[in-house]
Each structure stands twice: as C-alpha cells, then as structure tokens.
Amino acid sequence: MASGLEQSGTGKSPNPSYVKNPHLDLMKEDFLYHFDLGTATHDLPAMFGDVKFVCVGGSSSRMKSFIQFIAGELKLGDPKDEYPNICAGTDRFAMYKVGPVLSVSHGMGVPSIAIMLHELIKLLHHARCSDVTLLRLGTSGGIGLEPGTVVITRQAVDGSFVPQFEQVILGKKVLRSTALDETLAEELLQCGKQLNDFETVIGDTMCTLDFYEGQARLDGAFCSYSEEDKRRYLNEAYRAGVRNIEMESTVFGAMCKMSGLQGAVVCVTLLDRLQGDQMTSSHDLLLGYQLRPQRLVGSYIKKKLNAV
Amino acid sequence: MASGLEQSGTGKSPNPSYVKNPHLDLMKEDFLYHFDLGTATHDLPAMFGDVKFVCVGGSSSRMKSFIQFIAGELKLGDPKDEYPNICAGTDRFAMYKVGPVLSVSHGMGVPSIAIMLHELIKLLHHARCSDVTLLRLGTSGGIGLEPGTVVITRQAVDGSFVPQFEQVILGKKVLRSTALDETLAEELLQCGKQLNDFETVIGDTMCTLDFYEGQARLDGAFCSYSEEDKRRYLNEAYRAGVRNIEMESTVFGAMCKMSGLQGAVVCVTLLDRLQGDQMTSSHDLLLGYQLRPQRLVGSYIKKKLNAV
C-alpha cells in the first residue's frame, strides 16, 4: 500500500486526516444524516477502521452486486450471499462492506455525490482510516468510442472543457481543481490491458449538471439547437480530449484533491454520442457493459492486496 | 380544473404540448431510459392518460407511502395495500399511480430531478395528458422558522438570492426564470390554514447545489468560514425573503415555466438553520414532519377533485 500512502497525505504524518474543518473537533457528536450513522450511536472505528478501498457508483443495486462480486474475487465470501445494507435506516444511499472494501451508492449528479462524499470523508475520519483509495465505477456516454469501451479519467472537465469545479460558498463562486491521480489511472489502465477482454482507454471526462440539454442531446423535453450544433459541440469536445460524458466526476476530483484521498473514475460508455442519443443496445448487452468497470476495479484491488 | 387550463398553456389550444422540442416528432420511438418505459414497449396513453396531479419528492420510500396515503384520502384504495412500482425495471426512480395521481421520486439535487422532469414531461406528452398540476413535496432547512413549519415557495432563488436558474447548453450559460404559480401557492396556503394543524407560510426558497458548504453548514468534511460568516449569510438570506433552503426548486420552477405546467413546491423545515446544522430532532418527530407536505397536498387534491 506504499503508493496509497504517498498520494494521500503530505508525508509528514503517517495518518493524515481527510477532513479539513476545524469546527468538527468542537462537536460533541456527528450524525451522518444521509447514511443514518453517527458517532454517538455507532462504533465507527470498529465498523470501518479496516477500510482501504471505497468503491462508489450511482445505482444502489449495482453497488450491491459489486460487493457480491468482490467478495468472490477476494475469496472473502460467497457471491450468492446477501450482504446487509449498512445504511438500511435511510433510502438516500446504500452501503455494503466486505473485508477492506466498502461499496456505496451516490445517486445521480454532482449535488447527490457531494452529499455522499462529505459524509464518507467524515466517516473515514471518525473511523481513523488511512491509505484509502476511492474509486468511482460508473456509466457514461462515449465520444468517438465503440460502446462498451471503459474510460479511465485523466482529468474531469466542465462543459467548456476546463478542468475545474465551481463551488458556491456563502453565495460566492470558488473554482477548484479536478485533477485526478495519474499514477493510479495508469495502474488501472494496465489492469484493463491484462484483463484483455474489452477496450480500456485513458481520456478526459466531461461532467455536466444535466443529462439532456447539458449533454447536447436532441431527445429531451426541451431542445433549442440543431443536430448540426450538437455535432459541432461534441466534435469540439473530442478535439479537446474528452472521451466520455457523465455527471459526477468534477466534484469527485475536487473532493479527492481537497481531502488528500487517492481517487479514480472508471466509467463504461453505453453508446457513442456521435451516433445517437438513446440507449438502443439490448438490456442484456447494457448490463454486461456495466460489469466492466467492476471487473477492472476488482482486478486492481486483488492485485494491490496480493502485493502487500 | 379551470385554473389548471389557464395556467398550463397559451389558451389557444385545449391541449397544448408540454414538450418544446421539434426533434421529438422525428423519432420513431422514445425510450425513457431512467424510467425504463418507452413508446415502443408501453401504451403510455392507456397507462397515464388520466393523470392530473403529479407529486414528486426525493425519497422513493416517501413517494411510496404518499400513494398509499392519497389512495385512502381519495377513497380509491386501501392505504395498507401494496401499490406496484411502475419503474420496477430500474432503481434510478420509483413511480406509483392511483387514479389521477402519479407519485414519482427524484433523488437529491438539481441534476437528478432534471433527468426525472425531462422524462416526466415527455411521458405526459406521449400519454396526451392535459391540465396537469406538478407538486414537489420535500424536506428543507428553515431560516427563522419553528422546525416543522411548512413553506410554500413564492419563488426559488439561487445562492445569491436571485430568482434564476443557470442552464448550460452547448457549453454556454443560459439564465432561466424560476417563478412559480402565485394562484396555486395561495390555494395551497388556504389548505394549510384549513387543516389548522401546523404552521404554513409562503416564502422564497433558496436552492443550492451542495448541502454542506453550499448551505453554509459548519459540519461538512470541509469548512473554510467562521460561525460568524455563516450567521451573516443566513441573516442576509432571511432579509432577502428566503425562509427555507433545499436542492431542487430552481430547476423545478424553470422546467414548469418552460413546459407550461402549473407547479408548486411544498417543503417542511426539519430544523432552524439559525440554531444549528445537524438534524437533532428525534427520528419519530422528523418522520411526523415529513408527513405534513403530504397532508397539505392531499387536502388540496381532494378539494380540487371534489370541485370538478
């Protein structure tokens, strides 16, 4: 786990804190409302102290199937077993754990994943976790790629192809860097090559606040631009280095950087946006595509744990 | 339903379309991906043609309990019955229907509700619905109000207290009005007064893209401002007319206005942000608060249907 240690802190302390908030120390207790977990009601170090990999994704059922898959991969449990939802007291997010791996859903879009990440980073802090790697496993629209290609994000960019995240604090806009860990991205790419079962590339990921107009789709409830306008915009994105589009990566990158967590975004493309807007592939094919980030990240975690 | 008709269109046609997208007419079929419903696979007019009220809220379990509640209120079914989730093929959103009432979850935050509203507006279009009223039933943080107060939104404002929503289209920022229906807000206020069981007020609602730093909380993973800064900002919001803070109302208002749907936002306040940041009320008390928007909207729907 040496690489995790190098990336996650300043190197001054063996156990740097992921939170950057002086007010937290003054609080008697901390209730993580959207997880329905709290320092007064749960022994967080006992429950989570051994966590080294946190895998997150939009859909709760996908994160449930991931914990079953990784349990089998790491020989820590039967993939057919039922793993309890640690956040069963709320339907905002779902959370599962097996050994050093935590699997958490984050819903769709920047605000939803930001709520989850704030509470996750506090959870890791309260549980006194160290050397944690955070991996987002998602779906996306590709640009100029065969559907089913897995994209590892080099950097997350906004709708103008700039690697920044705009955070509003006390009504004022603050720009944050969204750069992700290059070494981790390269290691994941190598895992994809070794699996040798589907195409894996590194590219920029565009993150939007909207699935329809924000991603230049022609099939939303509203559309004020032409097919030609759409094509021009997506081609411009491609020339700027963008290979896929999703809805969480900028704030994910910004919060990894703020906390010192080593992070990566691994998304499969469900369609090529240069060819269309709707998901026309069969249900089974789409389900198969969604397993690819899980398999790639699974092989990465296995390799890391075996290397310790 | 006369007021619905006046609000929902130009008055030129008895059945104006809610979609504003010339491309939709050219599509052979339309697959509403995040609902797992489509024009090629489902008879949408038969399934949804009679819908007059669409009630939406963040949590899927809350929207399930709402359909049970409204079934009993309207004497259309037993509140103890199980109502099937129409979107059972996906875990992105949940959808329930009883008579003219549709109940749909939208997750947390502007991007998540925007995906749902795009597909909902297309669903209403494909199903040839008319005179539909859209009501968001939510939870929020209050400013200067007793916890448990229900706020009906006069207008949704951004973090600078301006009633606008910033939509990015082809990488360019477009500002949209977020004004909601004044008559509908007044009618809802009257229902609250007649129930006479909890405080109901009309006020501005601030909508943010973030729950922690975006709402000036001191208890997130990151915080770079003081308690004094926080207090100043929330007091400024109060003076500008803001009475509660949530995470969906600006895009809700903008999309109601764009589509011509008559819409309202009805949120209960779970705490007074001038007093703190954490939800310290008991679980049962919070659950009771969350029923208040349901009861208010339930009495409104009942009144409207009895008046036809």
Side-chain angles (χ1 to χ4, degrees):
Chain A
M1 299 300 300
S3 70
L5 202 76
E6 278 166 28
Q7 301 292 340
S8 67
T10 59
K12 283 174 203 158
S13 155
N15 212 353
S17 174
Y18 299 126
V19 304
K20 316 288 171 199
N21 179 358
H23 303 284
L24 277 188
D25 291 338
L26 309 172
M27 289 165 59
K28 257 195 189 159
E29 61 170 281
D30 187 12
F31 178 46
L32 310 172
Y33 178 70
H34 301 87
F35 287 159
D36 197 33
L37 297 172
T39 55
T41 45
H42 297 79
D43 184 348
L44 300 179
M47 290 172 76
F48 300 105
D50 62 341
V51 168
K52 295 295 176 193
F53 301 94
V54 182
C55 299
V56 304
S59 144
S60 53
S61 61
R62 214 194 302 136
M63 297 326 289
K64 185 181 175 182
S65 74
F66 177 71
I67 210 72
Q68 295 174 308
F69 166 74
I70 200 77
E73 284 294 294
L74 302 179
K75 300 195 182 7
L76 291 171
D78 189 329
K80 286 175 193 146
D81 278 357
E82 277 292 309
Y83 294 84
N85 176 6
I86 301 169
C87 298
T90 173
D91 66 352
R92 299 305 192 167
F93 301 117
M95 183 188 285
Y96 305 91
K97 182 177 182 299
V98 65
V101 183
L102 197 64
S103 177
V104 195
S105 72
H106 57 62
M108 291 186 288
V110 159
S112 187
I113 193 174
I115 293 175
M116 194 282 285
L117 288 177
H118 267 282
E119 299 187 12
L120 174 70
I121 290 166
K122 291 200 294 175
L123 183 151
L124 297 174
H125 169 77
H126 294 312
R128 298 193 282 278
C129 295
S130 60
D131 308 329
V132 175
T133 300
L134 184 58
L135 301 136
R136 166 163 144 71
L137 291 67
T139 56
S140 63
I143 306 184
L145 298 175
E146 199 62 36
T149 303
V150 172
V151 180
I152 299 159
T153 303
R154 182 196 317 274
Q155 58 180 3
V157 301
D158 66 13
S160 308
F161 325 130
V162 181
Q164 64 185 19
F165 175 67
E166 189 181 287
Q167 171 75 46
V168 175
I169 302 178
L170 307 176
K172 310 250 175 323
K173 290 175 182 174
V174 176
L175 292 178
R176 287 179 173 167
S177 162
T178 60
L180 288 158
D181 191 303
E182 280 181 45
T183 313
L184 178 57
E186 280 296 336
E187 286 180 305
L188 288 162
L189 182 67
Q190 289 312 313
C191 289
K193 286 193 175 161
Q194 280 158 17
L195 282 177
N196 193 26
D197 195 19
F198 45 81
E199 197 68 34
T200 306
V201 301
I202 290 186
D204 288 358
T205 297
M206 181 160 82
C207 174
T208 68
L209 289 172
D210 176 49
F211 184 80
Y212 287 98
E213 293 173 285
Q215 298 188 6
R217 274 189 162 79
L218 300 173
D219 64 340
F222 318 127
C223 183
S224 56
Y225 41 87
S226 69
E227 187 159 2
E228 182 50 37
D229 294 333
K230 166 198 160 175
R231 193 164 293 275
R232 200 180 304 123
Y233 180 65
L234 293 182
N235 280 322
E236 208 185 324
Y238 187 88
R239 282 194 302 273
V242 174
R243 291 296 174 271
N244 66 337
I245 314 175
E246 44 79 274
M247 300 181 67
E248 293 87 11
S249 58
T250 49
V251 77
F252 179 95
M255 291 181 76
C256 282
K257 209 168 168 70
M258 294 275 294
S259 63
L261 279 163
Q262 188 186 33
V265 178
V266 181
C267 290
V268 71
T269 61
L270 299 182
L271 77 168
D272 180 0
R273 289 296 317 289
L274 296 178
Q275 305 300 321
D277 295 328
Q278 296 234 321
M279 320 286 181
T280 47
S281 298
S282 76
H283 193 69
D284 286 350
L285 194 61
L286 290 176
L287 281 181
Y289 287 166
Q290 291 177 31
L291 294 179
R292 293 181 174 182
Q294 300 197 2
R295 289 170 55 206
L296 196 158
V297 165
S299 85
Y300 170 78
I301 292 176
K302 215 166 141 179
K303 196 194 247 181
K304 280 284 161 182
L305 289 176
N306 289 336
V308 171
Chain B
M1 298 298 300
S3 68
L5 202 74
E6 278 165 26
Q7 301 290 344
S8 66
T10 58
K12 284 176 201 155
S13 155
N15 211 353
S17 174
Y18 298 126
V19 304
K20 316 288 171 197
N21 178 359
H23 303 284
L24 277 187
D25 291 338
L26 308 173
M27 289 165 59
K28 256 194 189 160
E29 59 170 285
D30 187 12
F31 178 47
L32 310 172
Y33 178 71
H34 302 86
F35 286 159
D36 196 32
L37 297 172
T39 55
T41 44
H42 297 80
D43 184 350
L44 300 178
M47 291 172 76
F48 300 105
D50 61 340
V51 167
K52 295 295 176 192
F53 301 94
V54 182
C55 299
V56 304
S59 144
S60 52
S61 61
R62 214 193 303 135
M63 296 326 288
K64 185 181 176 179
S65 73
F66 177 71
I67 210 71
Q68 295 174 310
F69 167 74
I70 199 77
E73 283 296 292
L74 301 179
K75 300 193 179 17
L76 291 171
D78 189 329
K80 285 175 194 146
D81 278 357
E82 276 292 309
Y83 294 84
N85 176 7
I86 301 169
C87 298
T90 175
D91 66 352
R92 299 302 191 168
F93 301 117
M95 183 187 286
Y96 305 91
K97 182 177 182 297
V98 65
V101 182
L102 197 65
S103 177
V104 194
S105 72
H106 58 60
M108 290 186 288
V110 159
S112 189
I113 194 175
I115 293 175
M116 193 282 285
L117 289 177
H118 266 284
E119 299 188 10
L120 174 70
I121 291 166
K122 292 201 293 174
L123 183 151
L124 297 174
H125 169 76
H126 294 313
R128 297 193 283 276
C129 295
S130 61
D131 309 328
V132 175
T133 301
L134 184 58
L135 300 136
R136 167 164 144 69
L137 291 67
T139 56
S140 63
I143 306 184
L145 298 175
E146 200 61 38
T149 304
V150 172
V151 180
I152 299 160
T153 304
R154 184 198 314 277
Q155 57 181 5
V157 302
D158 65 15
S160 308
F161 324 131
V162 181
Q164 62 186 20
F165 174 67
E166 189 181 286
Q167 170 75 45
V168 175
I169 303 178
L170 307 175
K172 310 250 174 324
K173 291 176 181 172
V174 176
L175 293 177
R176 287 179 174 166
S177 161
T178 60
L180 287 158
D181 193 301
E182 281 181 43
T183 314
L184 178 57
E186 280 297 336
E187 286 180 306
L188 288 161
L189 182 68
Q190 287 313 313
C191 289
K193 288 194 173 157
Q194 280 158 16
L195 281 177
N196 194 25
D197 196 18
F198 45 81
E199 197 68 35
T200 306
V201 301
I202 289 185
D204 288 357
T205 297
M206 182 160 80
C207 174
T208 68
L209 289 172
D210 177 50
F211 185 80
Y212 288 96
E213 294 173 285
Q215 297 187 8
R217 275 188 161 80
L218 301 173
D219 64 339
F222 318 126
C223 183
S224 55
Y225 42 86
S226 69
E227 186 157 4
E228 183 50 37
D229 295 334
K230 167 198 160 174
R231 193 165 294 276
R232 201 180 304 123
Y233 179 65
L234 293 182
N235 280 323
E236 208 184 322
Y238 186 87
R239 283 195 300 275
V242 174
R243 291 296 174 270
N244 66 338
I245 315 177
E246 45 79 276
M247 299 181 68
E248 293 87 12
S249 58
T250 49
V251 76
F252 180 95
M255 291 181 76
C256 282
K257 209 167 167 68
M258 294 275 295
S259 63
L261 279 162
Q262 189 185 33
V265 178
V266 182
C267 289
V268 71
T269 61
L270 298 182
L271 76 170
D272 181 0
R273 288 297 316 289
L274 296 178
Q275 305 301 321
D277 296 329
Q278 296 235 320
M279 320 287 180
T280 47
S281 298
S282 77
H283 193 69
D284 286 350
L285 195 60
L286 290 176
L287 280 181
Y289 287 166
Q290 291 177 30
L291 294 178
R292 293 180 174 183
Q294 301 196 2
R295 290 170 54 206
L296 196 159
V297 165
S299 86
Y300 169 79
I301 292 175
K302 216 165 139 179
K303 196 194 246 183
K304 279 286 162 178
L305 289 174
N306 290 336
V308 170

